[in-house]
Amino acid sequence: MSDIHITRELLRAVARGELTQRALAQIEAHHLESLCPVCRREVQAWREEQTTDRGYQYALQAFPAVLGRHAPDLLRQTRQAERDLEELLALPPAERLARLDRARSRFRGPIFAGRLIEESRRRTPADPREGLALAELARAVIHRSPDHPDSFALLALALAQMANACRAGGDLRQAGEHFRQVRYFVSHEGVTDPLVLARIDHLEGSLHKDQRRFVEAEALLIRAAMLFRISGAAVETARVLLKLGELNFHQGLLDRAIEIVQTALERLPVKEEPRLYLSGRHNLALYLTEAGRYTQAAGIVATDEDLYQSIPEPWLQLRLSWLRGKIAAGLEETAEAERLFRETRDGFVRQGNGYDAAMASLDLALLYLKEGRTADVLPLAGEMAALFEAQDVHREALAAILLFQEAAQREGVTAAMVRELAGRLEAARRGASAETAG
């Protein structure tokens, strides 16, 4: 936590009772003891505010007038940024940077860079490659724009979003490299905006979660939630809570994961954030399913049917069919579960997603074993091996699949063996990600 500075926002939060003295003391211990110049400057500014409260009141009263003078120009810049973004996105990805370079005054400035970062964040879950390309464009815009007080904060955000797109695409090593650059800017360039720091903590916490560095991930996510909350960003607070729910789920803490997600959903109006709300509801149904509460999970999926249909993206629909298969299996609707698992697996194969195709196949294998259909496991194992060989995936994953295939040939596959294989595939996926940039 050594790169969180003591800003006036944090001190005001303590004064309002929104942040505990203990939490502030932890930040002080990390930073003031190292004599951070940014923290010294901010604390001094805070003290000056307290001794000249009358002047501070005048500043607050003057703010609406200042905003009124600048609002028309801000609106013009925002509209131009939207037009620039629309034009840039209409181009093939390979032509966008050249278009940006040819322009003299357009495709510049912090507002346009911020819109690129937001668009990258929106697109990354479904298309990490596009998300990375947009974040790289944001970085290019910042480098080509005139100096601005927020330049380093925006550059840190663009790099953090590049890292997040790399994480989503499976390149965990490159994501880590980007975050090392982010932390350098935060530590050496005085990036102190709580919202910026919260976003960075959130994204890096997500990376640590995928790396299974759960203790570090939890610390970052809790800090991100705190910073978002004291900044009044209720939706972003909920977004981080959903990530904390995932973190607890991956550690097998199902009841806590369910409780955290339910808390997050209470903060999310479905009409304002339909995608995020649906993501949270989907996760809640999945956690309930894994906890054996199949009827509750089925009720959530049924309630959200219209919302799922309103977002007809292939990756989401595949995860929906997978979840429905798990619920059907838990409710002992074997034929329906088999159909859904096969449909899910085939969809992942068409997408070239070998790991998720294999995981869906393992759910199908568990279904067969529960029904005593051990002979049906062998064709599944053969299909998984052929898929992994064709895609040239990580050698550890292929080795695990081949061992599974040998056991299936002997009809020696057990449910425990299937679960162990699932764990090995997840470990192999992380290993492949770590080697991507090596």
Side-chain angles (χ1 to χ4, degrees), residues 20-81:
T20 65
Q21 289 284 353
R22 181 177 179 182
L24 182 65
Q26 289 177 335
I27 300 172
E28 289 174 343
H30 281 286
H31 242 329
L32 289 184
E33 290 177 9
S34 63
L35 300 178
C36 171
V38 177
C39 287
R40 289 202 305 275
R41 184 177 70 242
E42 291 290 332
V43 171
Q44 183 60 38
W46 167 255
R47 287 171 180 162
E48 290 173 0
E49 290 174 0
Q50 298 311 291
T51 57
T52 60
D53 185 63
R54 185 179 180 86
Y56 188 59
Q57 291 291 336
Y58 286 145
L60 288 178
Q61 293 169 7
F63 181 74
V66 174
L67 181 62
R69 289 196 300 271
H70 290 284
D73 186 55
L74 181 63
L75 181 59
R76 180 188 60 78
Q77 293 180 45
T78 300
R79 288 174 174 170
Q80 184 61 53

Side-chain angles (χ1 to χ4, degrees), residues 75-330:
L75 181 59
R76 180 188 60 78
Q77 293 180 45
T78 300
R79 288 174 174 170
Q80 184 61 53
E82 292 296 333
R83 289 193 293 268
D84 288 348
L85 180 65
E86 183 178 355
E87 179 177 327
L88 207 61
L89 293 180
L91 296 174
E95 298 178 13
R96 292 170 183 169
L97 184 59
R99 178 69 185 91
L100 190 153
D101 285 335
R102 289 196 305 271
R104 293 186 177 182
S105 58
R106 293 186 60 195
F107 309 107
R108 299 289 189 270
I111 294 178
F112 181 55
R115 281 295 291 115
L116 283 168
I117 292 170
E118 286 301 311
E119 191 67 18
S120 170
R121 185 173 75 165
R122 189 182 72 82
R123 296 191 181 209
T124 289
D127 191 348
R129 184 175 298 179
E130 174 74 349
L132 176 60
L134 292 172
E136 289 174 334
L137 281 174
R139 180 180 61 175
V141 167
I142 296 164
H143 283 312
R144 289 161 174 77
S145 298
D147 289 340
H148 187 275
D150 294 331
S151 291
F152 285 114
L154 280 169
L155 190 55
L157 273 181
L159 285 165
Q161 186 53 42
M162 287 168 58
N164 189 52
C166 288
R167 177 198 65 81
D171 192 346
L172 304 190
R173 176 176 295 179
Q174 187 60 50
E177 289 295 326
H178 287 317
F179 272 120
R180 275 185 277 279
Q181 290 182 277
V182 170
R183 292 302 176 183
Y184 177 86
F185 283 120
V186 170
S187 297
H188 293 83
E189 302 297 344
V191 178
T192 61
D193 186 330
L195 283 173
V196 173
L197 297 173
R199 290 185 189 280
I200 291 170
D201 281 350
H202 180 197
L203 297 178
E204 191 171 13
S206 299
L207 173 62
H208 288 335
K209 177 187 73 67
D210 287 2
Q211 294 170 326
R212 302 186 72 80
R213 295 162 58 182
F214 293 137
V215 174
E216 295 161 276
E218 185 171 25
L220 284 169
L221 292 173
I222 288 174
R223 189 171 69 182
M226 176 194 73
L227 290 170
F228 277 132
R229 183 173 61 81
I230 67 174
S231 300
V235 170
E236 295 306 317
T237 302
R239 196 187 303 273
V240 177
L241 290 176
L242 291 178
K243 190 66 66 175
L244 274 169
E246 287 184 49
L247 182 67
N248 281 269
F249 172 71
H250 286 298
Q251 294 178 88
L253 305 173
L254 296 178
D255 289 341
R256 178 156 172 75
I258 291 167
E259 179 184 356
I260 290 172
V261 172
Q262 288 173 331
T263 299
L265 288 170
E266 291 172 0
R267 300 169 180 262
L268 277 176
V270 60
K271 292 183 179 179
E272 292 183 20
E273 290 287 342
R275 289 173 179 272
L276 185 60
Y277 181 83
L278 180 58
S279 176
R281 292 276 289 180
H282 182 95
N283 286 352
L284 178 59
L286 175 61
Y287 304 163
L288 288 168
T289 299
E290 296 298 333
R293 296 157 65 175
Y294 305 112
T295 302
Q296 285 179 266
I300 289 174
V301 171
T303 299
D304 295 340
E305 179 67 31
D306 290 343
L307 194 52
Y308 276 111
Q309 290 182 3
S310 70
I311 309 176
E313 296 173 353
W315 67 276
L316 176 62
Q317 298 304 317
L318 282 175
R319 278 154 182 77
L320 173 59
S321 66
W322 198 354
L323 174 58
R324 282 175 166 162
K326 289 175 179 287
I327 294 171

